[in-house]
Amino acid sequence: MRITDLLSKESIKLNLSSKTKPEVIDEMVDLVNASGNLNNKDEYKEAILAREELSTTAVGEGIAIPHAKTKAVKKACLGAGVTKEGIDYEAFDGSLSNLFFMIAAPDGANNTHLEVLSRLSTILMDEEFKNSLIDAKSVDEFLELIDKKETEKFPEEQKEEVVEDNSKAQDVQKDSKYPEVLAVTACPTGIAHTFMAAESLNNKGVEKGITVKVETNGSGGVKNALTKEEIEHAKCIIVAADKKVEMNRFDGKKVIITKVADGIHKADELLDRAVKGDAPIYHADSTANDSEESTNEEESLGRKFYKDLMNGVSHMLPFVVGGGILIAIAFLLDDYSINPANFGKNTPMAAFFKTVGEQAFGFMLPILAGYIAMSIADRPGLAVGFVGGVIAKDGYTFNNVMDFANSNPVSSGFLGALLAGFVAGYLVLLLKKIFSKLPASLEGIKPVLLYPVFGILLMSIFMMAVNPIMGAINTGLNNFLSSMSGSSQILLGAILAAMMAVDMGGPFNKAAYVFGTAQLTVANAGPEQFAIMAAVMIGGMVPPLAIALATTLFKDKFTESERKSGIVNYVMGLSFITEGAIPFAAGDPARVIPSCVVGSAIAGALSMAFGCGSRAPHGGIFILPVITNPLMYFVALVIGSIVGAVILGLLKSKKQIN
């Protein structure tokens, strides 16, 4: 289906009057409606808005392609609009959008809208062509430009030259019948960026005289799929993807793995690397799923440690949050002050919530250790790490294992589980190397017999040997924290809260949060441990709230889209979702980050000074009833948020576009 077949003169406007995103949507919907192909204009607009709610359809580089597939459309059609001034359509690269194509596809039209999207994305990658459309003097010229470009790119009438999708690069004649370089492109939505990256790689291939074939993993499925023979003969494979793609097929080949944006903007560099063979050999793991391979790119030791740790933490958090909040609910239903030793037994409901919460929370350390080990050694590491985490949690040693009921085990806590996870992972890697010398006929019994039996045995011996040491360290740390008071405690609260705001979900943030949640696992955790968790949580709540307040109090310092996002940040901040501040921090880090850090530090220090404590690891304002001294905790949150907002408002300059 050609683009020119879907456009009519009535649905094209070369001088849009809109200044904002809502206005341009209204104007573009009117253009589509002018084609006479809508059953219901309002219903079609609702479908367009619903799609925008998922993510912006501005693809960057000055282009936006809003689209919808709905029964409100009688016949597939397009609307096109141009504005030389540019409109803020919330593009991922921050650019203003000058060229708009709005797609309308009927509900039963299969993937018509995806086919049109891929065509538009492909031809609009040509900067000269895109600019010629923006500078078109008449509707007729606009249509002629598209028709000419489309004929050039998709010569369907010449049957002998027809190839699937993005295969222009293969027209370059070489001695070999196989392409020199293969590529796979994929983005999370599988629409615009997938095809833009493919087109960019193909175009650069033609310029450089390199035969390239690109497989696109789009919303409509895999197109232009790479064959086994092509993979065997390729010099190198480029995987420019932001989502999982099938990787085992590239075992033993040189593979460059990068993000889809690099496929668009760094195609020249990627192809040069591919032709030179500047890429690592990819090794697929037969014990892992196709969607679980690593990038095989060399990583620093610190980066590898962080990735493995975060794999454990990300799997651990649902247990921590779910179990912790259920335990906190038990505190609402039972009076802890009457008899702490009998807490949770005074009422049936409290007993229920406490029991379920503790069971979920109890998985925290084994899950942490298990998934760290799995990150290092794939699935064979999971069981070994899990057992190591249980031993760390329960404090088993050689001295008490024979008479555990009458002994006094000391849990090595979070530190012990952390050690168990990393040791388990590398222990399994060692076993893999040792057992690699066995006959191939025994390959099938390794993951189900040899790795778990020898891995768990060696892991148990190691952990029982080091548990007394790790337990002593863990106890010493807890005693030190319990001994802190006055200014030392306030300083600790300020530092932890500030760390939550430094990178808003990055390493510093995660380190502070993991430290806070680890305090809740301490045996007989008390006010000192609860105070640390409260300071950590308030530090994560302040950044989104400070930004939301700033967008409300200093409207002339933010764009319209930023002010709208600011409203959402009220909810995110109150819900303890620090990541709501990331888009603002990424756009203006020099002003946003210092403002949030100061606000969070003040809130954390006040939380400590007021003696606030949280028994739950998450929940934000919704667990305020179970916070110790809830009124002053809320006051600390308000003060920290206001301070951060005022500093941000003073630092930012006025926007020209409001």
Side-chain angles (χ1 to χ4, degrees):
M1 182 174 291
R2 292 176 65 85
I3 295 170
T4 48
D5 294 334
L6 301 176
L7 279 169
S8 64
K9 292 184 178 181
E10 294 78 17
S11 62
I12 302 172
K13 190 173 183 179
L14 302 182
N15 55 343
L16 294 172
S17 59
S18 305
K19 303 297 181 185
T20 65
K21 182 174 180 177
E23 289 176 359
V24 79
I25 288 176
D26 286 338
E27 195 168 3
M28 290 301 300
V29 168
D30 287 339
L31 287 174
V32 172
N33 190 49
S35 69
N37 292 314
L38 297 184
N39 292 315
N40 188 312
K41 173 185 168 183
D42 293 335
E43 189 176 335
Y44 173 69
K45 180 184 173 182
E46 287 178 9
I48 288 289
L49 293 174
R51 173 60 187 83
E52 293 296 327
E53 285 293 321
L54 298 176
S55 64
T56 180
T57 53
V59 296
E61 306 290 338
I63 303 165
I65 313 178
H67 51 275
K69 181 178 179 181
T70 169
K71 62 182 180 181
V73 179
K74 289 188 291 187
K75 180 182 176 184
C77 62
L78 274 174
V82 177
T83 171
K84 289 184 171 59
E85 292 78 14
I87 294 172
D88 181 5
Y89 208 79
E90 302 172 1
F92 77 100
D93 61 356
S95 66
L96 298 180
S97 298
N98 305 94
L99 189 58
F100 296 85
F101 284 92
M102 182 172 278
I103 302 173
D107 204 24
N110 298 321
N111 287 320
T112 298
H113 64 307
L114 297 181
E115 294 171 10
V116 177
L117 266 172
S118 64
R119 264 193 184 226
L120 282 170
S121 301
T122 298
I123 65 174
L124 292 174
M125 277 302 298
D126 186 326
E127 184 76 14
E128 184 179 344
F129 169 67
K130 180 189 72 176
N131 290 334
S132 69
L133 290 180
I134 295 173
D135 294 332
K137 299 296 187 296
S138 67
V139 170
D140 287 333
E141 181 185 351
F142 189 89
L143 287 169
E144 288 172 7
L145 287 167
I146 293 176
D147 184 59
K148 180 180 177 182
K149 185 66 177 178
E150 200 170 11
T151 300
E152 172 191 321
K153 289 294 299 177
F154 307 102
E156 288 87 354
E157 67 278 7
Q158 301 175 34
K159 299 297 182 182
E160 68 277 6
E161 294 181 13
V162 174
V163 290
E164 286 189 34
D165 300 305
N166 303 291
S167 55
K168 176 182 176 180
Q170 295 178 60
D171 291 334
V172 179
Q173 294 300 314
K174 291 287 180 181
D175 294 335
S176 172
K177 64 178 180 178
Y178 298 107
E180 295 174 88
V181 177
L182 302 179
V184 179
T185 61
C187 62
T189 55
I191 303 177
H193 294 91
T194 297
F195 299 100
M196 292 171 75
E199 180 66 8
S200 180
L201 288 165
N202 276 326
N203 286 344
K204 287 298 179 183
V206 171
E207 288 179 20
K208 292 175 172 292
I210 302 169
T211 50
V212 181
K213 178 178 178 180
V214 185
E215 172 186 295
T216 55
N217 282 228
S219 296
V222 174
K223 299 290 181 65
N224 211 31
L226 307 180
T227 67
K228 182 179 179 181
E229 292 77 15
E230 289 168 339
I231 293 171
E232 287 176 357
H233 289 84
K235 289 183 178 179
C236 185
I237 296 112
I238 299 169
V239 178
D242 289 342
K243 68 177 184 179
K244 303 295 184 184
V245 297
E246 184 188 349
M247 294 294 296
N248 274 349
R249 53 188 167 154
F250 303 140
D251 186 31
K253 300 295 295 185
K254 290 187 175 183
V255 180
I256 299 171
I257 302 179
T258 187
K259 54 190 178 183
V260 71
D262 287 348
I264 300 173
H265 304 294
K266 298 182 180 180
D268 199 339
E269 176 186 326
L270 291 174
L271 287 173
D272 284 343
R273 284 185 60 192
V275 172
K276 292 176 184 175
D278 180 18
I281 301 293
Y282 182 83
H283 296 292
D285 189 335
S286 61
T287 65
N289 289 334
D290 286 342
S291 62
E292 294 176 348
E293 284 78 33
S294 66
T295 64
N296 285 288
E297 296 281 5
E298 291 187 13
E299 295 179 301
S300 67
L301 186 61
R303 173 64 181 165
K304 184 73 171 67
F305 174 86
Y306 177 72
K307 278 179 59 180
D308 296 335
L309 173 61
M310 285 303 105
N311 190 59
V313 170
S314 63
H315 284 88
M316 170 193 81
L317 287 182
F319 295 89
V320 177
V321 174
I325 291 179
L326 290 177
I327 293 172
I329 293 174
F331 277 89
L332 288 175
L333 303 172
D334 201 349
D335 193 340
Y336 182 81
S337 62
I338 295 175
N339 181 4
N342 205 43
F343 165 66
K345 301 176 183 177
N346 297 321
T347 67
M349 284 300 292
F352 169 77
F353 280 105
K354 181 173 181 288
T355 300
V356 175
E358 285 181 341
Q359 291 301 313
F361 203 80
F363 282 106
M364 170 183 172
L365 299 183
I367 290 294
L368 172 70
Y371 280 93
I372 288 175
M374 185 175 178
S375 177
I376 297 168
D378 294 315
R379 279 177 290 187
L382 180 61
V384 181
F386 200 96
V387 171
V390 170
I391 295 174
K393 169 178 171 286
D394 291 336
Y396 288 105
T397 67
F398 289 116
N399 291 332
N400 60 39
V401 71
M402 300 304 294
D403 189 17
F404 188 77
N406 298 316
S407 62
N408 187 28
V410 179
S411 172
S412 58
F414 185 84
L415 295 177
L418 197 66
L419 177 65
F422 282 98
V423 171
Y426 289 106
L427 177 61
V428 172
L429 289 183
L430 177 62
L431 291 175
K432 285 184 177 183
K433 189 170 184 179
I434 293 172
F435 292 140
S436 65
K437 303 182 185 302
L438 293 177
S441 59
L442 298 178
E443 191 70 28
I445 70 169
K446 291 180 184 178
V448 296
L449 177 63
L450 299 181
Y451 297 149
V453 170
F454 286 94
I456 290 173
L457 174 62
L458 295 174
M459 185 77 246
S460 302
I461 295 172
F462 174 82
M463 285 306 298
M464 287 186 187
V466 302
N467 247 352
I469 301 171
M470 298 305 297
I473 295 173
N474 195 50
T475 301
L477 176 61
N478 294 329
N479 290 339
F480 170 73
L481 292 173
S482 297
S483 68
M484 295 182 69
S485 60
S487 58
S488 297
Q489 200 173 29
I490 292 172
L491 178 61
L492 177 63
I495 292 172
L496 289 172
M499 288 175 66
M500 292 294 291
V502 168
D503 51 6
M504 305 172 189
F508 284 98
N509 174 282
K510 287 292 187 290
Y513 184 66
V514 167
F515 181 75
T517 55
Q519 300 312 303
L520 300 182
T521 68
V522 173
N524 301 315
E528 296 83 6
Q529 286 75 29
F530 299 150
I532 289 172
M533 188 67 247
V536 167
M537 185 159 67
I538 204 170
M541 293 168 70
V542 165
L545 289 174
I547 289 170
L549 281 171
T551 60
T552 301
L553 300 174
F554 304 95
K555 293 184 178 181
D556 58 343
K557 304 292 183 77
F558 298 90
T559 65
E560 181 183 2
S561 63
E562 287 174 334
R563 292 196 294 270
K564 288 181 179 178
S565 298
I567 296 173
V568 177
N569 270 310
Y570 279 113
V571 178
M572 299 186 81
L574 291 172
S575 303
F576 182 30
I577 303 175
T578 316
E579 288 80 359
I582 290 177
F584 292 86
D588 191 5
R591 296 179 178 85
V592 173
I593 293 177
S595 305
C596 293
V597 167
V598 172
S600 290
I602 290 174
L606 289 174
S607 174
M608 281 286 193
F610 294 148
C612 304
S614 174
R615 297 176 176 88
H618 212 289
I621 202 70
F622 302 106
I623 62 162
L624 192 61
V626 301
I627 298 285
T628 307
N629 201 358
L631 176 60
M632 297 314 295
Y633 190 71
F634 184 73
V635 169
L637 177 64
V638 171
I639 292 174
S641 301
I642 291 175
V643 169
V646 171
I647 294 175
L648 180 57
L650 294 176
L651 290 178
K652 287 186 75 71
S653 56
K654 291 185 177 181
K655 293 285 184 181
Q656 297 299 317
I657 301 175
N658 294 309

